[in-house]
Amino acid sequence: MNAESLVSKVWNFCHMLRDDGVSYGDYLEQLTYLIFLKMADEYGRPPWNRDVGIPQRYDWQSLKARKGAELEGHYIELLRELGKQPGMLGQIFTKAQNKIQDPAKLARLIDLIDAETWVMLDAEVKGDMYEGLLERNAQDTKSGAGQYFTPRPLIRAMVECVRPQPARTICDPACGTGGFFLAAYDYIKDHHLAEMTAEEKQALKHRTFFGNEIVPGARRMCLMNLFLHNIGDIGDDPTISPTDALLAENPRRHDYVLANPPFGKKSTLTITNEAGEQEREEFEYNRQDFWATTSNKQLNFVQHIRTLLKENGQAAVVVPDNVLFEGGAGETVRRKLMETTELHTILRLPTGIFYAHGVKANVLFFDGLRRWVWNSPPELGQDRASTWTGGMAWTAPRF
């Protein structure tokens, strides 16, 4: 079965669930839980015979053996208990809830997934299926899922510009459903697989991709997306952290940082006031390694991404149009970025490529270590400086 037919098969059932108020995102979450359990069941059988750490009481067979109200009650208990387990298992099921209130339709979904032998499907087919479901979910503007799903043509273009190499690390501090990781993985496989050593192939699978995603549902889908694309293993400790990347400096440095941080001018924090009512107030990250203290999310992510790079690292990051052209903190970050990194390209994106209409954005490409030194710095607004060291030209657009 190819990916397109598999997408259609598992997606068509969603229309029936929509009548019960189950959104595309909720449906995709339930698929994540059930496909993971089915694959774990397959791995536990010959020829693999692997113990994946799922208690027998809460395995795939325990779901198949129940119907009606008993199935619904057991499924709720299963989700709660598996969320307490270590490793990827517990991470997939963290804060998991049953969103399918009709036990008959839950049983139908279990039968639908049970009909496929998922482990035997090619990783490309499984991965493309899940990516197809994520894209359909993102295109449903009512769900708001587009904020976690960067259009894949843009991601592929950014990856092709950076040209990641094997045996290096790749980071996305706001990774959503993992699109940059998958595109980089495919690029490395397509361009370097034939020459890679066994150790480099193992590193690509287990020790290449690192990121953060604070939204539990998006992180869950990211972990499943990577797993279905053969990145990581069912017993691995996930390298996608649920913590806010901006809270503290990350001690690890990376060769590549590829990111589309969440848009929105301000970082906010929900608090409970003296009257017991919830309020939102602006939140500033007080980082000693930042050039400027601000509640502007994009400026904070640009500063954080700079700290993530190795000296010879490369970054490509999507930012709102004109974010670096603002005064105050924006001006400080712009000047420091130009002084300490090689900000060599700003790519202006056409309006309308994002699922949120009307969004204007640019891609900043910069390297961690400035490879040349000005003999005399250019005037602000000047296209090119007249003197150089090393013969390298300034190619960034005018500020």
Side-chain angles (χ1 to χ4, degrees), residues 17-18 26 65 105 123 156 203 205 237 244 251-252 268 279 285 308 330 376 381 383 387:
L17 294 171
R18 293 279 285 181
D26 290 340
K105 290 176 180 176
R156 286 193 292 271
K205 181 179 176 69
D237 288 323
D244 185 348
R252 183 187 289 270
T268 58
E279 296 180 345
Y285 295 91
L308 290 172
S376 57
D383 282 326
T387 56

Side-chain angles (χ1 to χ4, degrees), residues 106-212:
L106 175 59
R108 175 71 184 92
L109 184 56
I110 291 171
D111 290 341
L112 184 75
I113 292 171
D114 193 56
E116 299 295 333
T117 304
W118 294 86
V119 170
M120 297 302 294
L121 287 173
D122 187 87
E124 185 172 340
V125 172
K126 289 183 294 191
D128 288 351
M129 177 215 71
Y130 202 73
E131 276 283 282
L133 294 173
L134 288 169
E135 184 163 16
R136 292 196 187 195
N137 183 40
Q139 289 170 344
D140 175 33
T141 55
K142 294 179 182 179
S143 74
Q147 64 181 307
Y148 309 118
F149 190 91
T150 306
R152 276 16 185 186
L154 171 59
I155 285 179
R156 286 193 292 271
M158 290 169 63
V159 168
E160 287 172 6
C161 288
V162 172
R163 295 181 290 183
Q165 302 294 307
R168 304 189 184 177
T169 60
I170 299 168
C171 179
D172 182 350
C175 62
T177 57
F180 282 107
F181 296 145
L182 302 181
Y185 179 78
D186 288 342
Y187 182 92
I188 292 171
K189 284 204 312 175
D190 292 345
H191 291 81
H192 302 287
L193 188 62
E195 66 208 39
M196 289 170 62
T197 66
E199 175 59 27
E200 287 174 336
K201 291 176 182 177
Q202 282 297 304
L204 179 62
K205 181 179 176 69
H206 299 285
R207 301 184 299 278
T208 294
F209 303 101
F210 299 84
N212 296 71

Side-chain angles (χ1 to χ4, degrees), residues 62-78:
S62 74
L63 287 175
K64 288 179 58 181
R66 292 171 168 83
K67 300 292 182 184
E70 183 185 7
L71 171 62
E72 182 181 15
H74 178 70
Y75 184 51
I76 292 171
E77 181 183 354
L78 176 150

Side-chain angles (χ1 to χ4, degrees), residues 270-303:
T270 302
I271 62 171
T272 303
N273 62 23
E274 293 180 359
E277 301 169 336
Q278 286 194 333
E279 296 180 345
R280 297 181 73 83
E281 64 176 25
E282 291 183 10
F283 176 75
E284 293 184 347
Y285 295 91
N286 188 13
R287 294 263 301 264
Q288 298 300 311
D289 58 328
F290 278 10
W291 298 310
T293 299
T294 174
S295 60
N296 186 305
K297 282 184 185 177
Q298 284 71 47
L299 292 178
N300 284 327
F301 267 106
V302 169
Q303 294 182 89

Side-chain angles (χ1 to χ4, degrees), residues 291 302-303 305-307 309 315 317 324 330-344 346 364-368 370 394 399:
W291 298 310
V302 169
Q303 294 182 89
I305 288 168
R306 190 270 310 175
T307 70
L309 283 179
V317 53
L324 292 182
E331 181 179 357
T332 300
V333 173
R334 178 182 74 232
R335 289 185 178 278
K336 288 292 187 181
L337 197 65
M338 293 176 65
E339 289 172 5
T340 62
T341 73
E342 186 179 348
L343 175 58
H344 54 80
I346 300 178
L364 304 181
F365 292 90
F366 59 93
D367 299 342
R370 191 169 179 176
W394 172 250
F399 281 105

Side-chain angles (χ1 to χ4, degrees), residues 43 123-124 126-127 182 185 189 204-206 224-233:
Y43 274 127
E124 185 172 340
K126 289 183 294 191
L182 302 181
Y185 179 78
K189 284 204 312 175
L204 179 62
K205 181 179 176 69
H206 299 285
M224 191 63 175
N225 207 9
L226 297 178
F227 177 60
L228 291 178
H229 280 85
N230 201 35
I231 300 172
D233 207 343

